[in-house]
């Protein structure tokens, strides 16, 4: 069976799918992943075939400086550039499917993958890293807030947003026209899939987010899809020396977002009175702080006293898997949702919204996370629960149902 994973987005969108793909490959599936060129080596190292998705989303996730709100002009630019990115992603998905595919796994920002699947006469299954189904249990993640509007308000907002305009509507319409399909609005197609109870797999744990009671039966939580370890990776000697020469440090990093500069990070570290490993900045080599490049979270995080990050789905999961307290600084989309879950689970202090961030507030949260033992105790319990889950088996079962006999 030839699986095509459609993964537009940043590293946080691609890495879990590459890990899932690696484990599916070991089970005998053929796996190709379509993603932006920056993640080609991530995919091939995981043992999957790489197929190119034009474009680059990394510049779209860089926010305003800490403590500043995004302006309307910033939002207009973002929406315009996101639309351009989705046009390229839709085109790349068609080209990738033409190279051979039996079934498509599509992430939550690739609805045009369903149009491609329809044209090719093959099934498509959602493979999501965040909950997007309208539900009474949570605020729609696209709003970028953890504030609840009540069970009725949450469900109503979710339904309105699902029916409204989105940056991938025009690409979906164009793809349908190009492939000779009948006209169908993206929102209407999604409604049809819900009524037909078509499957959507969710790569996160019910131990972190309990399954909502109003979800339809076709929505499955599989457990996390962990990135595949790179057997060739070796820790830099300077990082090993830093870790060995003092108490456990704090990690500060924001994934693909360039959310903090070195001066802000260092001021925060000094105020908190901790040692720190800093990601996303270069050239820091001080007695109590060192900057790093790409380092596997599964290796680094368990050696930390706490982790500070944007609460993106993958990084939040990595912190919980490591069993250390988390300080969340959510910026947008699903990050406030995961930050709120971490706080609700007792694995870290109250999140600090990025637009309200200051070195003083962040240093106080770091001190709280590293001093109060209940955060670490709760994080360890969650890590033990996550270690028992197998996120791959439910995906393999769904694929065999979708494409019997392959």
């Amino acid at each position: 069976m030839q699986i095509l994973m459609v993964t537009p987005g940043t590293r946080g969108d691609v890495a879990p799918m590459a890990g899932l793909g690696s484990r599916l490959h070991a089970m005998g599936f053929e796996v190709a992943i379509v993603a932006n060129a920056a993640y080609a080596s991530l995919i091939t190292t995981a043992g999957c075939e790489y197929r190119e998705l034009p474009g680059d989303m990394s510049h779209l996730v860089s926010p305003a400086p800490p403590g500043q709100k995004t302006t309307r002009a910033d939002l207009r630019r973002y929406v315009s550039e996101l639309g351009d990115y989705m046009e390229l992603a839709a085109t790349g998905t068609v080209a990738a499917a033409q190279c051979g595919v039996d079934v498509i796994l599509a992430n939550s920002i690739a609805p045009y993958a369903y149009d491609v699947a329809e044209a090719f006469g093959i099934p498509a299954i959602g493979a999501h890293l965040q909950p997007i189904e309208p539900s009474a249990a949570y605020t729609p993640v696209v709003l970028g807030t953890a504030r609840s509007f009540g069970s009725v308000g949450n469900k109503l907002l979710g339904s309105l947003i699902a029916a409204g305009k989105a940056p991938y509507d025009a690409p979906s319409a164009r793809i349908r026209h190009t492939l000779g399909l009948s006209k169908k609005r993206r929102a209407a197609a999604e409604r049809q899939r819900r009524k037909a109870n078509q499957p959507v797999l969710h790569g996160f744990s019910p131990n972190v987010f309990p399954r909502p009671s109003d979800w339809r039966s076709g929505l499955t939580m599989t457990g996390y899809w962990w990135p595949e370890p790179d057997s060739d990776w070796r820790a830099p000697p300077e990082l090993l020396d830093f870790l060995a020469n003092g108490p456990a440090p704090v990690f500060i990093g924001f994934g693909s977002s360039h959310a903090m500069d070195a001066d802000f990070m260092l001021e925060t570290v000094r105020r908190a009175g901790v040692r720190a490993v800093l990601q996303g900045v270069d050239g820091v080599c001080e007695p109590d702080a060192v900057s790093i490049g790409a380092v596997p979270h599964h290796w680094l995080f368990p050696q930390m006293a706490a982790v500070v990050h944007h609460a993106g789905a993958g990084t939040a999961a990595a912190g919980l898997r490591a069993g250390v307290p988390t300080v969340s600084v959510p910026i947008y989309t699903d990050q406030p949702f995961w930050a709120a879950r971490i706080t609700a689970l007792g694995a870290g202090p109250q999140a600090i919204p990025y637009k309200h961030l200051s070195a003083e507030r962040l240093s106080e949260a770091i001190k709280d996370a590293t001093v109060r033992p209940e955060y670490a105790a709760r994080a360890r319990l969650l890590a033990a629960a996550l270690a028992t889950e197998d996120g791959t088996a439910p995906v393999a079962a769904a694929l065999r149902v979708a494409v019997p006999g392959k």
Side-chain angles (χ1 to χ4, degrees):
M1 184 190 304
Q2 175 69 68
I3 304 163
L4 180 66
M5 296 182 175
V6 181
T7 60
T10 63
R11 185 182 183 89
D13 299 292
V14 179
M17 301 301 287
L20 172 63
S22 176
R23 285 178 277 279
L24 289 172
H25 177 73
M27 297 172 70
F29 295 90
E30 297 178 43
V31 182
I33 302 179
V34 54
N36 297 142
Y39 313 115
S41 62
L42 173 66
I43 291 165
T44 55
T45 298
C48 302
E49 178 190 348
Y50 170 69
R51 297 183 186 176
E52 184 177 1
L53 198 69
D56 178 9
M57 198 177 183
S58 60
H59 70 287
L60 293 176
V61 297
S62 297
Q68 293 186 21
K69 295 182 180 180
T70 303
T71 67
R72 290 184 179 180
D74 291 333
L75 288 173
R76 286 194 295 270
R77 175 189 57 80
Y78 173 80
V79 170
S80 174
E81 293 183 359
L82 184 59
D84 293 342
Y85 174 82
M86 291 300 175
E87 283 284 356
L88 293 172
T91 300
T93 299
V94 175
Q98 289 171 337
C99 296
V101 56
D102 294 314
V103 58
I104 290 176
L105 290 180
N107 75 9
S108 60
I109 59 170
Y112 38 79
Y114 290 94
D115 303 309
V116 174
E118 181 182 341
F120 280 72
I122 58 174
I125 300 174
H128 298 177
L129 300 178
Q130 53 283 118
I132 64 169
E133 186 81 5
S135 172
Y138 50 86
T139 306
V141 297
V142 71
L143 293 180
T145 178
R147 174 194 171 193
S148 175
F149 294 89
S151 58
V152 174
N154 288 343
K155 188 68 172 277
L156 178 60
L157 276 172
S159 299
L160 289 173
I161 289 171
K165 294 181 179 180
Y168 26 68
D169 287 352
S172 292
R174 180 179 60 78
I175 288 300
R176 293 190 67 82
H177 177 74
T178 300
L179 296 176
L181 299 173
S182 61
K183 287 185 177 181
K184 185 187 295 182
R185 290 178 59 246
R186 184 270 316 163
E190 288 185 355
R191 283 197 301 272
Q192 288 181 354
R193 290 196 293 273
R194 290 191 180 102
K195 288 182 179 179
N197 200 28
Q198 290 192 10
V200 177
L201 307 170
H202 295 83
F204 48 83
S205 170
N207 282 298
V208 174
F209 177 55
R211 190 182 195 279
S213 60
D214 61 353
W215 269 18
R216 56 187 176 84
S217 61
L219 306 178
T220 301
M221 285 189 193
T222 67
Y224 283 109
W225 302 324
W226 302 114
E228 186 68 8
D230 182 357
S231 59
D232 294 329
W233 183 83
R234 297 292 181 272
E238 57 271 23
L239 176 57
L240 292 174
D241 290 343
F242 181 80
L243 294 174
N245 292 320
V250 169
F251 168 86
I252 304 178
F254 286 76
S256 300
S257 303
H258 300 290
M260 294 183 191
D261 60 27
D263 289 340
F264 187 96
M265 288 184 176
L266 289 172
E267 181 185 354
T268 299
V269 169
R270 293 179 188 123
R271 283 174 175 265
V274 296
R275 304 171 74 234
V277 174
L278 312 178
Q279 192 171 59
V281 296
D282 298 319
V284 177
C285 185
E286 299 188 0
D288 288 328
V290 63
S291 59
I292 59 170
V295 174
H297 289 164
H298 78 274
W299 178 87
L300 181 65
F301 282 9
Q303 303 180 70
M304 300 293 102
V307 292
V308 180
H309 54 67
H310 58 324
T315 313
L320 295 173
R321 183 190 195 189
V324 298
T326 295
V327 177
S328 302
V329 185
I331 305 173
Y332 37 54
T333 57
D334 62 333
Q335 295 165 10
F337 171 84
W338 295 115
R341 291 307 309 152
I342 289 168
T343 300
L345 292 164
Q350 191 71 35
I352 305 172
Y354 183 79
K355 62 184 178 182
H356 298 147
L357 183 63
S358 67
E360 180 179 7
R361 290 191 67 180
L362 184 55
S363 63
E364 289 300 317
I366 290 172
K367 285 190 282 188
D368 189 27
T370 54
V371 169
R372 293 178 59 181
E374 55 265 37
Y375 291 137
R378 186 58 185 153
R380 287 193 296 269
L381 287 174
L382 283 166
L386 296 180
T388 67
E389 297 178 345
D390 178 4
T392 306
V395 179
L399 290 168
R400 292 187 176 110
V401 170
V403 190
K406 281 278 189 173

